Amino acid sequence: MWILLALALFGTSSDVLAHAVAQGDKGYIQEITGVNLIAFMYLGAKHMVTGYDHLLFLLGVIFFLYRMQHIALYVSLFALGHSTTMLLGVYFNIGINSYIIDAIIGLSVVYKALDNLGAYQRWFGFQPNTRAATLIFGLFHGFGLSSKIIEYDISPDGLVPNLLAFNVGVEIGQIIALAMILIVMGFWRKTDGFFRHAYTANVAMMSAGFLLVGYQLTGYFVA
């Protein structure tokens, strides 16, 4: 639970909530030309490991998953969606308003927290397809990043190799982040208070998602 609270507090900074690439990386992306595989792999990994929205959504996805094959399946679905729209969005110059797409990404965190709380079964009497939802929200997460990259006007020289390298870095970063989350979750699940605090943890995650939504919608209307 303390992870969620720390992320929520850390998420009050605009750099985290904006789903943006860091300013130093932004300048590098704008200036670099040609094929730079290692550099873009690093940028992709850094984005995933430091991405507030990605980490919260992944945490929600694996919160009640115990078998590694189930974790691998859901993480792969998220990666498939994220990779597809990130690559195609940049390559075909398909951009979505950054505030709107980031608000949707915030809603993905809210959705997953409510799913973990069993809200849909209580409210509507049915359980949404969790696999389809993970894939669909992965698509939105990918559009969030592609929209930012388009804004930074990445050079067409070496675009495809650099994008592929960036995507590989994203997946490496996802594995690193997932490993850290699973280690902490593994210790937490062994405690007597896990199920007692699971409700509070998901409420905190939902609150962080609403915070992100509110921040982005405010930015959209005042920009």
Side-chain angles (χ1 to χ4, degrees), residues 117-155:
L117 293 170
Y120 307 117
Q121 293 181 2
R122 292 197 303 271
W123 295 347
F124 309 113
F126 76 98
Q127 172 60 49
N129 189 311
T130 54
R131 296 179 182 180
T134 301
L135 175 62
I136 291 170
F137 281 123
L139 296 172
F140 283 111
H141 278 249
F143 268 128
L145 182 55
S146 68
S147 297
K148 283 296 180 183
I149 294 177
I150 290 172
E151 289 179 9
Y152 298 154
D153 195 23
I154 186 172
S155 172

Side-chain angles (χ1 to χ4, degrees), residues 21-77:
V21 177
Q23 287 300 315
D25 297 338
K26 172 184 175 180
Y28 181 77
I29 291 173
Q30 291 174 325
E31 295 175 2
I32 195 171
T33 59
V35 177
N36 294 271
L37 302 183
I38 301 299
F40 275 89
M41 284 180 61
Y42 165 76
L43 291 173
K46 179 181 178 181
H47 167 77
M48 179 57 76
V49 171
T50 60
Y52 166 81
D53 47 8
H54 295 309
L55 295 180
L56 277 181
F57 186 75
L58 280 176
L59 178 59
V61 167
I62 69 168
F63 199 91
F64 287 121
L65 296 180
Y66 293 88
R67 296 184 178 181
M68 287 306 301
Q69 58 265 39
H70 293 162
I71 293 173
L73 172 62
Y74 279 89
V75 172
S76 297
L77 288 171

